[in-house]
Amino acid sequence: MPKSVIIAEKPSVAQEFAKVLKVNGTRRNGYIESDDFIVTWCVGHLVTMSYPEAYDEKLKLWRYDTLPFIPKEWKYEVIENVKAQYETVKSLLTRDDVDTIYVCTDSGREGEYIYRLVDSMANVTGKNRKRVWIDSQTEEEILRGIKEAKDLSYYDSLADSAYLRAKEDYLIGINFSRLLTLSYGKKVASLNGEEKTSISIGRVMTCVLGMVVERENEINNFEKTKFYKVIANFENGIKAEWRNVVDIEREKERCDVLKKAIDENMLYNDNGFKNEEDANSFIEYLKGTNGKAKVIESSKKTQKENAPLLYNLAEIQNDCSKKFKISPDKTLEIIQELYEKKLVTYPRTDARVLSTAVAKEITKNLNGLARFKDNEEVVNAINLMKENKYSTNIVKSKYVNDSKITDHYAIIPTGQGLDNYSKLSELHQKIYVLICKRFLSIFFPPAEYTRIALTVDIAEERFFASSKVRTNPGYLVLYDNDKKSKETSEEQSEEETENETDAELIKKIKKGQELEINDYNTKDGETTPPSRYSSGSMILAMENAGKLIEDEHLREQIKGTGIGTSATRAEIIKKLSRLNYIAINQKSQTITPTNKGNLIYKVVKYTMPDMLNPELTASWEKGLFMVAEKEIKADEFMTKLEKYVRDKVAKVKQNMWG
């Protein structure tokens, strides 16, 4: 009787498939076999690209005359320390009694690549090969994935993209690293106090190094600017801030102090003065006019703030970096474990929304979570939803958008695997709860605020007072008990209390009312340099092609193909640290360049500056995406890549030799 092989990426995942498919047969060295199924696994990569010396022993030596190195026929080899498992997998895939292979490696580009390398190296022929594509490791999802598995050829373009990604990294890494090491390695070593060094260049890695160095340069070159705002204090306790807004017809009637400050560019952002003397002179002018304060505008608006979009990997890596001070690769490791324990959906995703199909059945996830009793915050959130009868119909909301999903939807709790929660470490539990709360928040109403604003005229100059008060917590009620959020809430509550007092005062003021001026004063401030990247904010900057955008809504609007992928970004930062090109403060996760990193940046800046350009690096990733989507041919991408490598090598050689 013919058998089917189930091949997973990791032993733990394979065991889950075996459990779901009731493969209770004999456990052998590297696989489990029953009457119907053979379940086996890779251990990550089993096959890798061969180094240049595999093509020609002479290429082991780094020399100018062997560059560029671009193979006509690519060679691959089995990784030595996993050779035994490879041989096991090969024997199973090619067994005569096996007619179908279910490819159950991770559902993404890298998972596809892991299997395709094994398939090619083992020369698998004459078998039905089916691709299992799942979003979680729940029993229901695994069974669906097996039932709906498509022929492996359906994913050929994704495999093309995967091969091209590896070839691109190989060609850039091998050629540019050797080229720049031969050209500048001795000088870099000397300046860094080393006997010798090799310069490691990577398509994404070098670009990220550039971002870190350039941010540090911005900070070091930043010149602080002091400024002084003018504040009017009224008898009833209201304070209003002057801003430089005036009708153009009245420009000539303004005081000499203002005219001079405007002419000499001595105003700061139209709401302050760069010189304290000018601010005080302006105050003296205002006092001398004996002008009265008249309210010329009064407004009251209600503002709503919806819960943010769901987590993708970059967003949760950034949050965990801020909240728990852990690295992005640690965050991914933890969420991968939560995924393997069935608690959450697939982690390596760029999407922050759900598919329509998932949204229509989202009550399954909620009903599962309703049985969760081990965390008070999640239990309370579910109870609030029930008590207030919040709608679970989110199909037409901003949290559901099929067009913004490529491989996988956002990271959400499955509502299953809950018996594993109590066995998790405290940090694992905190991250799971973080995912649960972000998920549950989308079913809660928006937070509501009332914003009250006054515009006051004094001697034809404009002063502004405003207050923003939270009137309904909405989804923010979910974060009141979070330790970090609680600290933030306490800070906010003091501000809100102060604003609330102001609000009560401002609410009583009507348009046309005159206010008694008590006095004026200056309020000084100072510009601040840009912040250093943290490991988490760097992930976000990479996702947005080098733009560190703090505003979440704006970030989502401009989002495109970034630098690297959700699966690789954390490892790139880790590699830069391992190479001693950057330093990561373990307590704050702040990133700074090392002396070596600065030296290598200067070498790249001088020789091939476009390697530091985030938009160019992102365009290569965009090209890989287009191959996967069948928008361009793999040969077209490869031709451009080979030309790029040849041109760069030729240019650096020419500069070195004149």
Side-chain angles (χ1 to χ4, degrees):
M1 181 179 174
K3 292 190 176 185
S4 296
V5 167
I6 301 286
I7 179 167
E9 193 166 317
K10 295 179 182 177
S12 59
V13 178
Q15 287 165 15
E16 200 57 48
F17 272 83
K19 182 180 173 184
V20 170
L21 296 172
K22 297 180 172 54
V23 180
N24 301 316
T26 308
R27 173 74 182 260
R28 296 189 170 92
N29 189 19
Y31 66 101
I32 307 167
E33 184 169 1
S34 68
D35 292 339
D36 300 318
F37 290 102
I38 305 167
V39 178
T40 189
W41 51 85
C42 305
V43 277
H45 280 274
L46 297 178
V47 178
T48 189
M49 304 176 87
S50 297
Y51 279 101
E53 52 265 35
Y55 295 81
D56 186 338
E57 187 62 30
K58 295 176 184 177
L59 292 172
K60 193 166 188 176
L61 292 175
W62 294 21
R63 301 200 324 252
Y64 277 120
D65 61 0
T66 61
L67 298 175
F69 171 65
I70 301 175
K72 291 181 179 177
E73 296 291 333
W74 290 81
K75 292 187 176 183
Y76 299 86
E77 60 194 56
V78 177
I79 299 169
E80 189 61 35
N81 65 351
V82 292
K83 199 167 188 177
Q85 184 61 18
Y86 167 78
E87 292 298 338
T88 296
V89 170
K90 177 183 176 181
S91 68
L92 297 172
L93 296 179
T94 56
R95 260 172 51 171
D96 291 338
D97 62 339
V98 169
D99 70 346
T100 303
I101 299 167
Y102 287 97
V103 181
C104 305
T105 48
D106 276 4
S107 304
R109 187 171 72 189
E110 201 62 19
E112 193 70 20
Y113 187 52
I114 285 171
Y115 175 75
R116 296 285 184 139
L117 287 175
V118 173
D119 188 280
S120 177
M121 182 65 72
N123 194 27
V124 178
T125 57
K127 312 291 183 185
N128 294 318
R129 283 167 286 192
K130 302 286 187 179
R131 185 55 159 112
V132 177
W133 199 271
I134 58 176
D135 288 298
S136 72
Q137 288 191 22
T138 62
E139 179 177 346
E140 180 183 51
E141 184 70 356
I142 287 173
L143 291 174
R144 182 203 61 76
I146 295 285
K147 182 181 177 183
E148 298 177 7
K150 293 184 173 72
D151 191 88
L152 187 65
S153 62
Y154 180 83
Y155 296 91
D156 281 352
S157 62
L158 180 65
D160 289 342
S161 174
Y163 274 97
L164 287 170
R165 191 279 307 161
K167 289 174 181 177
E168 182 179 31
D169 287 349
Y170 183 97
L171 291 178
I172 287 176
I174 294 288
N175 286 290
F176 295 175
S177 296
R178 291 187 175 200
L179 179 67
L180 295 188
T181 298
L182 290 167
S183 303
Y184 299 96
K186 288 181 180 178
K187 188 171 184 179
V188 168
S190 174
L191 291 171
N192 200 46
E194 298 174 306
E195 285 187 25
K196 60 180 181 178
T197 194
S198 61
I199 296 175
S200 185
I201 300 297
R203 169 180 63 95
V204 178
M205 181 182 75
T206 300
C207 179
V208 173
L209 173 63
M211 290 164 62
V212 174
V213 173
E214 286 166 10
R215 174 57 57 89
E216 194 69 17
N217 290 342
E218 282 181 59
I219 293 168
N220 293 334
N221 296 330
F222 183 82
E223 293 184 7
K224 292 181 179 179
T225 301
K226 289 202 77 170
F227 56 89
Y228 303 86
K229 296 182 178 182
V230 173
I231 309 297
N233 302 289
F234 302 109
E235 193 173 34
N236 57 5
I238 294 175
K239 300 175 186 294
E241 179 184 300
W242 172 80
R243 288 184 212 156
N244 182 33
V245 289
V246 69
D247 294 338
I248 194 71
E249 309 88 55
R250 302 201 57 82
E251 192 71 43
K252 60 185 179 182
E253 299 179 21
R254 305 187 81 183
C255 72
D256 292 338
V257 175
L258 270 178
K259 286 179 183 176
K260 182 172 179 288
I262 293 167
D263 290 343
E264 297 179 6
N265 194 30
M266 294 307 290
L267 286 183
Y268 174 77
N269 281 356
D270 278 339
N271 67 339
F273 294 81
K274 293 179 182 178
N275 291 328
E276 188 174 13
E277 296 81 4
D278 289 342
N280 285 327
S281 296
F282 181 51
I283 287 174
E284 290 305 312
Y285 160 76
L286 290 170
K287 287 179 178 177
T289 63
N290 292 318
K292 294 190 176 182
K294 184 176 182 180
V295 178
I296 59 173
E297 191 174 334
S298 174
S299 65
K300 178 180 176 181
K301 294 180 181 177
T302 299
Q303 297 177 342
K304 293 185 177 183
E305 177 191 303
N306 288 301
L309 293 174
L310 296 160
Y311 279 128
N312 64 5
L313 183 58
E315 293 287 335
I316 196 165
Q317 284 173 320
N318 181 49
D319 268 11
C320 288
S321 172
K322 289 190 291 188
K323 291 175 184 292
F324 310 127
K325 306 303 179 188
I326 60 173
S327 64
D329 60 292
K330 182 65 177 176
T331 300
L332 175 55
E333 176 191 318
I334 289 173
I335 303 175
Q336 179 70 25
E337 289 178 30
L338 296 177
Y339 167 69
E340 290 175 13
K341 292 184 184 299
K342 304 184 186 180
L343 286 158
V344 302
T345 56
Y346 189 72
R348 292 173 177 82
T349 176
D350 290 322
R352 299 190 61 201
V353 292
L354 301 176
S355 66
T356 302
V358 170
K360 286 179 177 177
E361 297 188 349
I362 205 66
T363 51
K364 291 180 181 178
N365 303 64
L366 291 167
N367 290 337
L369 277 183
R371 295 190 291 272
F372 186 39
K373 304 300 179 190
D374 291 337
N375 183 272
E376 187 179 354
E377 291 178 276
V378 177
V379 170
N380 289 343
I382 292 287
N383 289 338
L384 274 173
M385 285 185 64
K386 290 178 181 176
E387 290 167 15
N388 293 287
K389 297 181 180 178
Y390 292 149
S391 173
T392 58
N393 184 3
I394 55 170
V395 172
K396 294 184 178 179
S397 72
K398 69 173 185 175
Y399 307 105
V400 179
N401 190 334
D402 292 333
S403 69
K404 291 190 175 182
I405 299 170
T406 50
D407 294 339
H408 298 277
Y409 53 80
I411 304 169
I412 61 171
T414 62
Q416 297 186 40
L418 300 174
D419 53 337
N420 291 315
Y421 178 83
S422 60
K423 304 166 195 169
L424 299 174
S425 72
E426 183 181 356
L427 184 55
H428 282 65
Q429 289 181 353
K430 285 180 177 179
I431 292 176
Y432 176 67
V433 170
L434 202 63
I435 294 169
C436 286
K437 290 200 293 186
R438 176 61 70 96
F439 170 64
L440 292 171
S441 71
I442 71 174
F443 302 99
F444 276 67
E448 293 185 7
Y449 299 86
T450 297
R451 183 173 183 81
I452 306 166
L454 298 178
T455 304
V456 182
D457 176 274
I458 303 175
E460 302 296 340
E461 295 295 335
R462 300 292 184 264
F463 287 75
F464 298 85
S466 65
S467 176
K468 183 179 177 182
V469 182
R470 195 174 82 178
T471 54
N472 185 347
Y475 78 92
L476 290 174
V477 73
L478 298 181
Y479 297 92
D480 287 344
N481 292 327
D482 180 77
K483 188 176 179 183
K484 289 288 182 184
S485 295
K486 192 173 182 181
E487 291 170 2
T488 307
S489 295
E490 284 169 0
E491 292 169 8
Q492 289 176 343
S493 63
E494 289 177 14
E495 183 185 344
E496 284 173 5
T497 302
E498 181 184 340
N499 284 345
E500 209 168 307
T501 307
D502 292 341
E504 290 305 312
L505 292 171
I506 293 173
K507 276 198 293 188
K508 298 174 184 176
I509 307 301
K510 306 296 182 187
K511 182 178 178 179
Q513 184 175 338
E514 289 192 355
L515 303 175
E516 191 70 32
I517 304 169
N518 240 358
D519 60 11
Y520 300 92
N521 66 279
T522 60
K523 181 181 178 182
D524 61 322
E526 193 173 62
T527 57
T528 56
S531 300
R532 289 185 174 89
Y533 290 107
S534 70
S535 60
S537 66
M538 175 56 78
I539 292 284
L540 286 184
M542 291 169 73
E543 186 185 48
N544 293 292
K547 300 178 181 71
L548 178 54
I549 300 168
E550 298 290 355
D551 183 84
E552 190 228 356
H553 300 295
L554 179 59
R555 194 159 67 235
E556 192 61 28
Q557 287 171 21
I558 66 95
K559 184 177 171 184
T561 302
I563 301 168
T565 67
S566 57
T568 61
R569 290 174 188 134
E571 184 55 38
I572 288 161
I573 295 172
K574 189 177 179 181
K575 185 176 181 181
L576 282 168
S577 175
R578 194 165 58 241
L579 289 167
N580 192 32
Y581 290 2
I582 63 172
I584 303 175
N585 184 301
Q586 294 306 307
K587 289 186 177 179
S588 65
Q589 289 296 305
T590 301
I591 300 175
T592 51
T594 61
N595 182 57
K596 190 173 186 178
N598 274 307
L599 291 170
I600 288 167
Y601 168 82
K602 288 176 182 176
V603 168
V604 178
K605 183 81 171 173
Y606 176 69
T607 57
M608 44 182 74
D610 56 345
M611 282 290 292
L612 300 167
N613 184 340
E615 291 182 6
L616 177 69
T617 307
S619 74
W620 284 109
E621 194 65 52
K622 178 71 172 175
L624 293 172
F625 175 79
M626 291 171 75
V627 170
E629 293 295 304
K630 302 179 183 177
E631 294 176 24
I632 61 172
K633 300 277 188 185
D635 288 348
E636 181 183 343
F637 183 96
M638 197 66 197
T639 299
K640 288 182 180 178
L641 173 61
E642 289 180 359
K643 182 179 186 303
Y644 179 79
V645 172
R646 287 194 180 94
D647 289 349
K648 279 282 170 282
V649 171
K651 187 175 181 181
V652 173
K653 282 183 176 181
Q654 185 179 21
N655 288 342
M656 287 301 295
W657 301 338

